[in-house]
């Protein structure tokens, strides 16, 4: 987001409306529940970053311009992956003068520069823990009553405790990071290693049920939509249309996926603690 704030807005109409940067347009047209931050969507699965994110647990990013989702109820732009998606289309219709392409490239350049220049990597552990908290609440809001009715109340409590502990450990980690001695290369390396490896704590060596190639239990494609990204797909896939699922072990499968997610959330939390603090503190 910081990079987008530095990029001049390529849209004259947006500039005239007082939105002078790429960030301003992003925030205005795709807002989140936080009035200071635009919405960030989960990346999909059927692209170049799939092996990095879904298999290796390496965070991925895809900045781009897109259409107005409120105005155009379409899954993708009409020329996508067709024989008409050509240089002529981009040069004459989609992006004359390549002004928007230039803006996206500038965002990428700022991101690379920020990552290269920063002594402490600008990876936001707080945003990740908040994201997990919000998404888990949405899952329980939708399926919570059914889960409680099928004796998964304790599993939900353990899961929520793990999420709360992750948020606490992230807050402690962020606070301690601001106090490290940046002249000590070992202290800097420790913080950066924890930031780089945080996502990898969500890897399950066994993979998702029936799809062992996908190791990331936090962010991988859904079994029912292989192109879009999903949050905790093992849990949500096992809950999909569960009311008409005739499998007698269906709730045991939900419980198993809940247990895996709970354990790995705890693993992520413990990875951020000081190397002398291996156990959870109340």
């Amino acid at each position: 987001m910081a990079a987008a704030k530095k990029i001049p807005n390529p849209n004259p109409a947006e500039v005239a409306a007082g939105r002078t940067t790429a960030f301003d347009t992003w925030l205005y047209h795709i807002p989140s529940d936080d009035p200071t931050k635009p919405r960030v969507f989960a990346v999909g699965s059927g692209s170049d970053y799939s092996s990095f994110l879904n298999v290796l647990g390496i965070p991925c990013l895809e900045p781009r311009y897109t259409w107005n989702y409120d105005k155009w109820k379409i899954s993708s732009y009409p020329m996508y992956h067709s024989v008409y998606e050509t240089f002529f289309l981009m040069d004459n219709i989609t992006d004359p003068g390549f002004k928007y392409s230039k803006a996206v490239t500038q965002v990428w350049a700022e991101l690379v520069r920020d990552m290269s220049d920063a002594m402490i990597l600008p990876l936001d552990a707080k945003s990740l823990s908040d994201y997990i908290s919000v998404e888990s609440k949405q899952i329980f809001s939708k399926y919570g009553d059914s889960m409680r009715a099928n004796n998964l109340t304790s599993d939900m409590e353990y899961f929520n405790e793990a999420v709360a502990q992750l948020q606490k450990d992230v807050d402690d980690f962020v606070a301690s990071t601001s106090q490290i001695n940046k002249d000590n290369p070992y202290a800097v390396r420790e913080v950066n290693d924890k930031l780089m490896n945080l996502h990898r704590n969500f890897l399950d060596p066994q993979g998702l049920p029936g799809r062992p190639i996908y190791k990331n239990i936090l962010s991988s494609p859904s079994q029912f939509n292989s192109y879009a990204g999903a949050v905790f797909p093992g849990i949500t896939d096992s809950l999909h249309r569960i009311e008409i699922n005739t499998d007698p072990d269906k709730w045991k499968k939900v419980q198993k996926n809940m247990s895996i997610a709970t354990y790995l959330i705890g693993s992520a939390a413990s990875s951020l603690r000081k190397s002398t603090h291996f156990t959870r503190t109340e």
Side-chain angles (χ1 to χ4, degrees):
M1 295 183 186
K5 292 178 180 179
K6 302 176 184 178
I7 309 306
N9 200 323
N11 188 329
E14 289 291 299
V15 174
R19 296 182 283 275
T20 59
T21 69
F23 177 86
D24 295 332
T25 290
W26 182 13
L27 178 63
Y28 180 80
H29 290 283
I30 311 180
S32 68
D33 293 334
D34 184 338
T36 66
K37 296 180 180 179
R39 184 177 177 185
V40 178
F41 295 92
V43 295
S45 64
S47 193
D48 302 332
Y49 41 68
S50 181
S51 58
F52 292 97
L53 177 63
N54 306 142
V55 181
L56 301 175
I58 299 174
C60 296
L61 184 69
E62 185 189 14
R64 65 180 179 181
Y65 274 89
T66 187
W67 60 90
N68 187 322
Y69 296 118
D70 293 329
K71 183 177 181 180
W72 305 104
K73 304 298 182 180
I74 55 178
S75 60
S76 185
Y77 58 92
M79 301 299 184
Y80 182 58
H81 279 191
S82 73
V83 296
Y84 301 103
E85 192 177 30
T86 63
F87 179 85
F88 179 88
L89 177 74
M90 281 293 296
D91 190 27
N92 291 273
I93 300 174
T94 306
D95 186 14
F98 293 92
K99 297 177 182 178
Y100 294 91
S101 300
K102 175 184 176 182
V104 172
T105 303
Q106 289 174 314
V107 170
W108 270 117
E110 283 294 334
L111 286 169
V112 171
R113 187 171 68 83
D114 288 346
M115 294 286 284
S116 301
D117 290 348
M119 181 171 292
I120 301 298
L121 292 173
L123 300 176
D124 192 349
K126 177 64 175 173
S127 291
L128 177 63
S129 65
D130 289 344
Y131 176 69
I132 290 173
S133 177
V134 169
E135 294 296 330
S136 60
K137 287 176 182 177
Q138 291 182 355
I139 293 173
F140 293 147
S141 175
K142 184 175 182 179
Y143 298 106
D145 290 342
S146 296
M147 296 173 76
R148 282 184 282 269
N150 286 275
N151 302 316
L152 266 68
T153 300
S154 295
D155 299 272
M156 295 171 63
E157 291 174 352
Y158 292 141
F159 185 96
N160 285 330
E161 286 177 6
V163 173
Q165 186 63 42
L166 173 63
Q167 291 187 293
K168 179 182 182 304
D169 284 319
V170 165
D171 289 342
D172 292 344
F173 172 74
V174 172
S176 65
T177 299
S178 64
Q179 300 173 9
I180 70 165
N181 179 6
K182 294 184 179 179
D183 293 327
N184 183 344
Y186 296 105
V188 172
R189 175 65 183 271
E190 180 183 6
V191 170
N192 285 335
D193 281 353
K194 287 180 177 180
L195 287 168
M196 286 192 293
N197 290 316
L198 181 58
H199 273 265
R200 298 177 195 182
N201 288 284
F202 295 99
L203 299 180
D204 179 3
Q206 301 298 318
L208 293 175
R211 298 179 297 153
I213 189 174
Y214 294 117
K215 311 294 186 184
N216 192 331
I217 63 98
L218 173 62
S219 181
S220 283
S222 167
Q223 179 182 353
F224 304 99
N225 186 347
S226 61
Y227 200 67
V231 183
F232 293 117
I235 298 174
T236 54
D237 285 353
S238 62
L239 287 166
H240 181 72
R241 302 184 71 184
I242 196 165
E243 68 280 358
I244 62 173
N245 188 338
T246 58
D247 184 350
D249 294 326
K250 59 185 181 182
W251 285 106
K252 290 183 179 179
K253 292 178 179 178
V254 174
Q255 186 178 42
K256 178 181 178 180
N257 284 291
M258 288 279 292
S259 298
I260 293 171
T262 300
Y263 176 82
L264 294 179
I265 292 171
S267 175
S270 64
S271 74
L272 295 174
R273 296 174 199 150
K274 293 181 179 179
S275 56
T276 55
H277 297 174
F278 295 108
T279 59
R280 186 176 71 177
T281 57
E282 299 297 339

